[in-house]
Amino acid sequence: MSSYVPDLEAIAREAGKLLMGYFVRRVTIEYKGEVDLVTEADRASEKLIVERLRAHWPEHGIVAEEGTRSEMDAEYRWYVDPLDGTTNFAHGYPVFCISMALARQDGQLEVGVLYDPTRDEMFAAERGLGATLNGRPIHVSQTKSLAESILGTGFPSHKRHKNPNIHFYHQITLRSHGLRRAGSAALDLANVACGRYDGFWEFILNPWDTAAGVLLVQEAGGRVTRFDGSAFRLDSREVLASNSLIHQELITNFEEIFAGRGLEELPSVAEYAKTRI
Ligand code: IPD
Ligand code: CA
Ligand code: CA
């Protein structure tokens, strides 16, 4: 099978150029939910990508975030996020990407390409062939403990009040070098793959957010599971990714946090204001 990567990279670059055009002139924010944003750029990027994928591989299915569902019985299916990081994009914060991945019907990931047009960074991975950033092989970090790690996480735009992630954010911040909430789950995973993050997790994600990033992490030598260590599947909504060296420690810490053990009590705002640093 010849590599999908060159064609995918060309499609990603084209979509990236289109997104940057909208980004510099700014776009109007529309709402899919209370804080679930969408813009004309999301839709235009999806239209372009879907047209190109269909032209190259008409026999493949496509599932894309802004509504495309086609050839759902096909043996292979594309998962497309035409703009991951819409909230950042809509506010002019330059952290967003395009994510595309191909999976077999049984969920096995074959290839993933993720492009950050703000930094001109092209990530690619193919099953069994490793992962690259701008054509150079990448590898996860060598960090051996959570205490020495930097990690990323994110918060969904649906059911915000019911999401317990703020407890995890608090606790993992106290137990590591720190956390980032950059606003693009796909890029967060790419950052684990290339060793900028030692780990990443999020509670509710969709396959278009995770497919390319998960393959990148796996092909770069990292590990991706659910929070309890069980196998990650494309329809798993939770994702825990790491450099693999700190994975078990993360699982153990997550168990503790879920069980509410060892949680630091927060001081009141007034109490903290009196603290001398
Ligand atoms: C969102 C981003 C964000 C994550 C949300 C996702 P979108 O995707 O990846 O980082 O925290 O859960 O929904 O809506 O910008 O494509
Ligand atoms: Ca997304
Ligand atoms: Ca999106």
Side-chain angles (χ1 to χ4, degrees), residues 94-153:
V95 177
F96 54 87
C97 70
I98 292 143
S99 175
M100 300 181 280
L102 183 67
R104 254 178 21 192
Q105 210 175 51
D106 63 4
Q108 176 159 279
L109 289 161
E110 296 292 341
V111 60
V113 160
L114 195 151
Y115 182 53
D116 170 358
T118 73
R119 300 164 64 89
D120 190 21
E121 289 192 335
M122 183 71 74
F123 295 87
E126 284 180 276
R127 184 167 60 88
L129 296 178
T132 56
L133 166 52
N134 289 344
R136 296 213 174 94
I138 50 174
H139 205 272
V140 292
S141 72
Q142 296 292 311
T143 309
K144 289 190 180 55
S145 70
L146 176 58
E148 300 165 293
S149 295
I150 182 167
L151 304 100
T153 188

Side-chain angles (χ1 to χ4, degrees), residues 10-253:
I11 297 170
R13 268 188 216 290
E14 211 186 330
K17 201 169 164 200
L18 179 138
L19 286 182
M20 290 309 285
Y22 283 101
F23 187 65
V24 296
R25 8 181 236 280
R26 304 299 294 267
V27 284
T28 311
I29 295 175
E30 298 164 47
Y31 292 90
K32 292 192 276 187
E34 192 195 353
V35 285
D36 192 1
L37 277 49
V38 67
T39 71
E40 56 185 310
D42 299 67
R43 289 190 287 265
S45 174
E46 178 158 322
K47 184 168 177 289
L48 183 150
I49 293 170
V50 167
E51 273 171 18
R52 300 292 180 273
L53 292 178
R54 277 190 183 137
H56 281 283
W57 302 287
E59 69 284 12
H60 290 173
I62 305 178
V63 170
E65 179 173 14
E66 302 313 330
T68 307
R69 302 284 181 276
S70 66
E71 306 299 329
M72 297 298 280
D73 295 329
E75 194 190 345
Y76 288 94
R77 180 184 293 170
W78 294 100
Y79 289 97
V80 177
D81 194 334
L83 168 46
D84 187 56
T86 297
T87 304
N88 289 342
F89 184 93
H91 286 271
Y93 184 67
V95 177
F96 54 87
C97 70
I98 292 143
S99 175
M100 300 181 280
L102 183 67
R104 254 178 21 192
Q105 210 175 51
D106 63 4
Q108 176 159 279
L109 289 161
E110 296 292 341
V111 60
V113 160
L114 195 151
Y115 182 53
D116 170 358
T118 73
R119 300 164 64 89
D120 190 21
E121 289 192 335
M122 183 71 74
F123 295 87
E126 284 180 276
R127 184 167 60 88
L129 296 178
T132 56
L133 166 52
N134 289 344
R136 296 213 174 94
I138 50 174
H139 205 272
V140 292
S141 72
Q142 296 292 311
T143 309
K144 289 190 180 55
S145 70
L146 176 58
E148 300 165 293
S149 295
I150 182 167
L151 304 100
T153 188
F155 294 83
S157 46
H158 291 278
K159 298 193 179 159
R160 289 190 294 173
H161 305 286
K162 298 210 160 76
N163 190 312
N165 199 23
I166 200 67
H167 301 293
F168 290 75
Y169 194 101
H170 177 209
Q171 286 304 312
I172 300 293
T173 297
L174 296 175
R175 301 172 193 200
S176 66
H177 278 178
L179 269 185
R180 300 292 176 263
R181 190 281 192 251
S184 164
L187 261 185
D188 289 333
L189 286 162
N191 282 328
V192 174
C194 69
R196 293 173 183 157
Y197 281 164
D198 305 299
F200 165 77
W201 78 91
E202 193 161 334
F203 275 76
I204 303 180
L205 288 170
N206 288 296
W208 48 78
D209 301 307
T210 51
V214 163
L215 188 63
L216 278 163
V217 172
Q218 290 169 338
E219 288 297 326
R223 196 171 158 204
V224 185
T225 64
R226 293 163 54 92
F227 295 159
D228 62 1
S230 59
F232 173 85
R233 292 160 32 110
L234 270 183
D235 58 2
S236 309
R237 309 227 53 205
E238 64 192 49
V239 58
L240 176 63
S242 80
N243 66 0
S244 96
L245 299 175
I246 63 161
H247 210 82
Q248 189 48 53
E249 202 185 347
L250 275 171
I251 292 169
T252 309
N253 274 268

